Amino acid sequence: MDGNGRWAADRHLPRVEGHRAGIESVRDSVELSARLGIEVLTLYAFSVENWKRPPAEVAVLMGLLKRYLKLELATLLANNVRFRVIGSQAELAPDVRAELDVAQDKTAANTGMLFNIALNYSGRAEIVAAARRALRAGVAPDELDEARFAGLLYTAGQPDPDLLIRTSGEMRVSNFLLWQIAYAEIWVTETYWPDFRARHLLEAVLAYQKRDRRYGGIKEPAVVGR
Ligand code: IPE
Ligand code: MG
């Protein structure tokens, strides 16, 4: 979710107004994804690197997160959405963690879309943490394969993303799901996150459906005459 600051700057507003406006885009994206039958939606809300921002901006982001969870929990429950946090929760403030715990606990038994929020997340840190977990568990080197390793990540048991959407035109991955996006299709839109609504998501999904995914293989020849 990128481009909040630029969206606000275009309107001569403080950056935080962009974050505030972005909440509506979150609502739209979660709702449409659930309606489309998307299995997993992961929104990148706050990276480990985002702590470098001014404390006042971080505080607004955390406050918005808390408010979003309070206001949207009923909707998440009504839509059978299961909410999960990926990232290190230990460094988050107790009040934020409490709100996240409530949302995760209350939606834990839901069977519909899984909605991951990446918070205090870093793809590299996730990979290092997984390696540490493997070592601590005493996994023998020969027993460690890709499937086993994937099971040590925050996203254990989840399918890899099929589509990665980047808003605001940035052509980089920014430490997001580095392991999991190995074969994800990438869609970059110039649209700033606060302007990104259901129709933009639909546009990305339609473009994705036209992609030819080969996973390093070649296109299957058509079967003729049978
Ligand atoms: C994304 O918008 C929001 C978060 C990182 C939480 P930015 O704040 O990065 O917006 P720009 O990149 O300055 O426009
Ligand atoms: Mg940005």
Side-chain angles (χ1 to χ4, degrees), residues 160-163 179-185 213-217:
D160 284 339
D162 292 307
L163 173 63
W179 172 280
Q180 297 88 338
I181 62 168
Y183 271 99
E185 295 293 325
R213 304 187 77 189
R214 295 184 299 273
Y215 299 96

Side-chain angles (χ1 to χ4, degrees), residues 1-7 15 19 45-46 50 53 57 61 168 170:
M1 301 186 281
D2 203 5
N4 296 356
R6 281 162 282 169
W7 182 93
R15 295 178 53 80
H19 299 320
F46 196 84
N50 284 148
R53 296 185 179 208
E57 183 176 341
L61 285 167
S168 84
E170 304 291 4

Side-chain angles (χ1 to χ4, degrees), residues 26-222:
V26 172
R27 282 200 194 94
D28 246 39
S29 302
V30 171
E31 201 207 301
L32 179 65
S33 300
R35 276 208 290 140
L36 289 177
I38 286 171
E39 216 177 311
V40 185
L41 171 72
T42 303
L43 295 182
Y44 198 4
F46 196 84
S47 70
V48 165
E49 293 79 19
N50 284 148
W51 293 110
K52 286 187 264 187
R53 296 185 179 208
E57 183 176 341
V58 172
V60 168
L61 285 167
M62 296 296 164
L64 284 170
L65 171 68
K66 267 174 41 181
R67 209 174 52 159
Y68 168 82
L69 292 172
K70 276 206 187 90
L71 292 174
E72 291 302 302
L73 184 55
T75 310
L76 296 178
L77 287 166
N79 290 319
N80 197 21
V81 172
R82 185 155 60 98
F83 175 81
R84 286 257 292 123
V85 180
I86 63 170
S88 173
Q89 291 175 71
E91 292 80 18
L92 302 172
D95 56 331
V96 175
R97 284 169 69 177
E99 214 61 63
L100 293 168
D101 286 345
V102 169
Q104 292 185 98
D105 292 349
K106 294 227 161 125
T107 62
N110 286 351
T111 54
M113 185 179 80
L114 174 58
F115 168 23
N116 291 317
I117 188 150
L119 253 190
N120 193 25
Y121 176 86
S122 147
R124 283 188 170 181
E126 177 183 37
I127 291 168
V128 171
R132 283 187 178 157
R133 249 173 249 136
L135 291 170
R136 241 182 263 121
V139 178
D142 292 346
E143 280 169 18
L144 190 60
D145 57 12
E146 291 183 10
R148 183 97 188 250
F149 194 80
L152 298 168
L153 301 169
Y154 291 122
T155 51
Q158 301 182 22
D160 284 339
D162 292 307
L163 173 63
L164 168 67
I165 300 174
R166 175 101 201 198
T167 58
S168 84
E170 304 291 4
M171 304 295 271
R172 54 178 173 262
V173 167
S174 299
N175 212 358
F176 185 58
L177 298 179
L178 295 181
W179 172 280
Q180 297 88 338
I181 62 168
Y183 271 99
E185 295 293 325
I186 300 175
W187 172 259
V188 177
T189 171
E190 293 295 322
T191 307
Y192 293 148
W193 177 252
D195 287 328
F196 190 90
R197 293 302 155 89
R199 67 187 175 86
H200 299 94
L201 178 55
L202 210 51
E203 183 190 15
V205 171
L206 289 170
Y208 164 80
Q209 289 176 333
K210 296 197 190 87
R211 297 281 175 92
D212 176 21
R213 304 187 77 189
R214 295 184 299 273
Y215 299 96
I218 56 168
K219 204 176 165 74
E220 287 294 311

